[in-house]
Amino acid sequence: ETGVTQTPRHLVMGMTNKKSLKCEQHLGHNAMYWYKQSAKKPLELMFVYSLEERVENNSVPSRFSPECPNSSHLFLHLHTLQPEDSALYLCASSQVVHNEQFFGPGTRLTVL
Amino acid sequence: AQSVTQLDSQVPVFEEAPVELRCNYSSSVSVYLFWYVQYPNQGLQLLLKYLSGSTLVESINGFEAEFNKSQTSFHLRKPSVHISDTAEYFCAVSVKTGGYQKVTFGTGTKLQVIP
């Protein structure tokens, strides 16, 4: 595997389910990000981890819970989501001192 | 805080015609500038970037962008588009905040190449 991978690629869940999105980067980067991409809205930065420490949480509801166990892995734990949370969730990584982010293919989430 | 404006949400253009996708930004500090491309059902891919040096930057597939500090613009151009260029294009600005980069994306421009 190379680059940034995300699993699953598609996820359908009910509002009472608990699920997790996984992101893995094989680039040796030190920073990882979660973004939400909804139709007709700008890309929204949700969380930033730098050297495994959360450095930014952009007013994201508590039903989204990130976890970064090491510099290569990033998770987004989901529980009691709402239909408006349906979107494409993108993971990205970068070197701490560089400015170029590398994106994964995304997880298409549908909340019923 | 920085911001990015992409005024055109959609740009239709005939194959082999030239195209310009506009991007303007605002920031009180120095920025780095990027264009990303997103093909259907995929994540974003870096197309080109301006960090410093020459204000004209080029990609390997024929796109170019010019950093214009006085007009705070970073427009993307290609002299002759191909069907495969159909995608959504995002302009982004980046400032270094603490130990990581803070990137702000524009709302995107969908380029539709018409055969």
Side-chain angles (χ1 to χ4, degrees), chain A residues 64-78:
Chain A
F64 294 92
S65 174
E67 179 190 1
C68 187
N70 55 60
S71 61
S72 298
H73 294 86
L74 185 65
F75 294 90
L76 188 62
H77 303 300
L78 317 170

Side-chain angles (χ1 to χ4, degrees), chain B residues 58-107:
Chain B
E58 299 177 353
S59 72
I60 58 173
N61 57 355
F63 283 95
E64 65 178 29
E66 185 160 21
F67 169 53
N68 188 318
K69 189 174 182 179
S70 62
Q71 297 186 5
T72 61
S73 67
F74 191 56
H75 301 329
L76 181 69
R77 295 187 292 262
K78 189 171 186 180
S80 176
V81 295
H82 189 267
I83 292 291
S84 60
D85 294 324
T86 295
E88 190 160 16
Y89 293 79
F90 294 88
C91 182
V93 298
S94 171
V95 297
K96 189 172 179 186
T97 303
Y100 71 98
Q101 60 172 27
K102 185 176 178 69
V103 180
T104 303
F105 286 86
T107 50

Side-chain angles (χ1 to χ4, degrees), chain A residues 9 31 33 35 37 42-43 45 48 50 55-56 58 88 90 94 96-101 103-105, chain B residues 32 34 36 38 41-46 49 51 88 90 94-96 99-103 105-107:
Chain A
R9 293 293 309 276
Y33 314 76
Y35 288 88
Q37 187 177 33
L43 205 59
L45 178 63
V48 182
S50 177
V55 296
E56 190 161 340
N58 283 333
L88 182 68
L90 293 165
S94 71
V96 173
V97 296
H98 290 183
N99 288 278
E100 178 179 339
Q101 291 189 12
F103 284 80
Chain B
Y32 297 140
F34 305 85
Y36 286 84
Q38 186 177 30
N41 301 313
Q42 294 186 29
L44 278 68
Q45 303 172 35
L46 182 70
K49 60 185 176 184
L51 303 182
E88 190 160 16
F90 294 88
S94 171
V95 297
K96 189 172 179 186
Y100 71 98
Q101 60 172 27
K102 185 176 178 69
V103 180
F105 286 86
T107 50

Side-chain angles (χ1 to χ4, degrees), chain A residues 2-22:
Chain A
T2 59
V4 181
T5 58
Q6 290 185 245
T7 55
R9 293 293 309 276
H10 300 272
L11 178 62
V12 179
M13 60 187 289
M15 289 191 286
T16 58
N17 292 156
K18 288 185 180 181
K19 296 287 185 182
S20 295
L21 309 184
K22 179 182 176 182

